[in-house]
Amino acid sequence: MILLQSHSRFLLQTLLNRVQNVLLTSYFELAVLLSIPNRCPSLEKSVELDYHWVEFDDVRYHVQVSMKNPHILLLSVSLPTPPRETFFLGGLPFGAIEAIKSAYGVIVQILDPPRDGFNLTLKLNLSKLSPDEEYRHALLVKVASVREVVLGAPLRVILKYLASRTIAPDIDRLVALVHRPNESFFLLPQAEKVTAVFPMRFKDSIDTVLATSFLQEFVESRRTAGLHNAPPCLWSHSPPLELKGATDDALSANAGFVTFVIFPRHVEGKKLDRTVWNLSTFHAYVNYHVKCSEGFMHTRMRRRVESLIQALNRAKPDQEKTKKAAHTRSFKRLSLKESRTNSNS
């Protein structure tokens, strides 16, 4: 099984390249100032970076850097469209603002309002990054994981209370969290455990069949000896009792429902980040493996068809050789002596 990475690889590479460019520019300007007194290099006002891209579950990014302020980077993020049962505050999940401030500190400023068409715009001051290369790289990886920080904020709050065996104050009995466009999964917080329920929906009928088979095997694999410490996992065609009171739209799932039970031991220490990410991207994880399975079967089918065609080609008679043999019959020329002998016999 392949687990998705929490950070955006393209965003991380963009940040690393930008930091390196800023450092080289600073060295160049310092060298110019030392060699030519009272003269500063002029920088033209133009856009150096302007990237747009989309990642899975319809999370969109926009990165922009101008030459006027080369150490300032603007990062805008657009989140999946939330369904009606979820709660957004100012266009963001609850707890997202606090999570951003806690994760990034002084190098990030939240712009209000964000850029048009985006839920969040962050202003990164690259000049405030630590000179320590290892710490700087770890912080840039965290910035590239802004999706996890923002979308996973409500889940992180609930699981932190679970670690202390308490329930977050002023929280509903059933909490809906967005993870895909117009789709959500549900949490049932309790002091000793948190139950997570995922309605599994797929548009393609083949994907639905493959996902149903995959999820059944996924639940069965939990019973192996090496996974006895993993969260208990259940799958059912009908909605579980934990979803009592949810809307009819939220209970429609053509591939069934998957339930995980999270205990305090699953969110202790560094396990918290991994649990938050794995739950937030569970549907994408299943969808990824369904597409891989479909591609593998298509490859096997093509190879099988190619082998059958080769077998049929080998079984066909060679028409050119047969025609050539029919037109090139040879006759033995008998000598006069052999002709008399044959006639006498």
Side-chain angles (χ1 to χ4, degrees), residues 8 17 21 45 50 52 71 139 155 170 177 188 213 275 323:
S8 168
N17 293 340
N21 183 269
K45 185 178 178 181
D50 193 3
H52 291 263
H71 60 283
L139 186 56
L155 179 57
D170 301 329
L177 302 180
L188 185 66
S213 177
T275 302
K323 186 182 297 184

Side-chain angles (χ1 to χ4, degrees), residues 215-227:
L215 292 171
Q216 291 174 345
E217 293 294 331
F218 186 85
V219 173
E220 289 296 326
S221 64
R222 166 62 179 79
R223 301 178 182 179
T224 58
L227 299 176

Side-chain angles (χ1 to χ4, degrees), residues 57-76:
D57 291 339
D58 198 30
V59 176
R60 297 187 292 114
Y61 297 88
H62 179 210
V63 171
Q64 191 172 27
V65 179
S66 67
M67 287 294 291
K68 183 178 180 180
N69 295 308
H71 60 283
I72 299 297
L73 183 144
L74 296 180
L75 170 61
S76 300

Side-chain angles (χ1 to χ4, degrees), residues 211-267:
T212 302
S213 177
F214 175 85
L215 292 171
Q216 291 174 345
E217 293 294 331
F218 186 85
V219 173
E220 289 296 326
S221 64
R222 166 62 179 79
R223 301 178 182 179
T224 58
L227 299 176
H228 60 276
N229 288 327
C233 179
L234 300 173
W235 177 86
S236 62
H237 268 297
S238 58
L241 297 177
E242 287 83 1
L243 295 185
K244 184 178 180 181
T247 61
D248 293 338
D249 293 338
L251 298 179
S252 60
N254 54 7
F257 298 81
V258 180
T259 303
F260 293 99
V261 182
I262 311 300
F263 293 102
R265 69 175 184 269
H266 299 131
V267 294

Side-chain angles (χ1 to χ4, degrees), residues 65-196:
V65 179
S66 67
M67 287 294 291
K68 183 178 180 180
N69 295 308
H71 60 283
I72 299 297
L73 183 144
L74 296 180
L75 170 61
S76 300
V77 182
S78 175
L79 304 177
T81 305
R84 292 181 301 173
E85 62 269 13
T86 58
F87 174 71
F88 268 37
L89 182 62
L92 296 172
F94 70 88
I97 300 297
E98 293 77 8
I100 293 171
K101 294 179 179 179
S102 175
Y104 304 134
V106 297
I107 72 162
V108 168
Q109 177 186 354
I110 302 174
L111 299 185
D112 188 19
R115 293 285 183 90
D116 291 339
F118 293 91
N119 299 84
L120 174 69
T121 298
L122 301 177
K123 182 180 180 182
L124 281 73
N125 192 341
L126 302 179
S127 63
K128 294 184 179 180
L129 288 173
S130 172
D132 182 77
E133 184 176 356
E134 183 177 354
Y135 180 80
R136 182 173 66 240
H137 185 272
L139 186 56
L140 292 179
V141 171
K142 194 69 175 177
V143 173
S145 305
V146 61
R147 170 203 179 104
E148 176 195 10
V149 174
V150 176
L151 283 179
L155 179 57
R156 187 181 301 275
V157 171
I158 294 173
L159 294 183
K160 279 185 176 179
Y161 278 95
L162 173 63
S164 59
R165 289 176 169 79
T166 56
I167 303 177
D170 301 329
I171 199 167
D172 297 335
R173 184 194 71 87
L174 190 64
V175 182
L177 302 180
V178 62
H179 65 142
R180 303 182 73 233
N182 296 310
E183 293 186 18
S184 59
F185 68 100
F186 298 88
L187 298 179
L188 185 66
Q190 295 176 324
E192 296 296 329
K193 64 180 181 179
V194 171
T195 304

Side-chain angles (χ1 to χ4, degrees), residues 20 22 30 32 43 65-66 99 101 117 144-145 173 217 245 283 291 297 313-314 317 326 338:
Q20 184 179 9
V22 169
L30 181 60
V32 171
L43 296 176
V65 179
S66 67
K101 294 179 179 179
S145 305
R173 184 194 71 87
E217 293 294 331
H283 194 288
K291 293 299 183 182
M297 287 188 290
N313 290 336
R314 287 194 299 266
E338 291 174 340

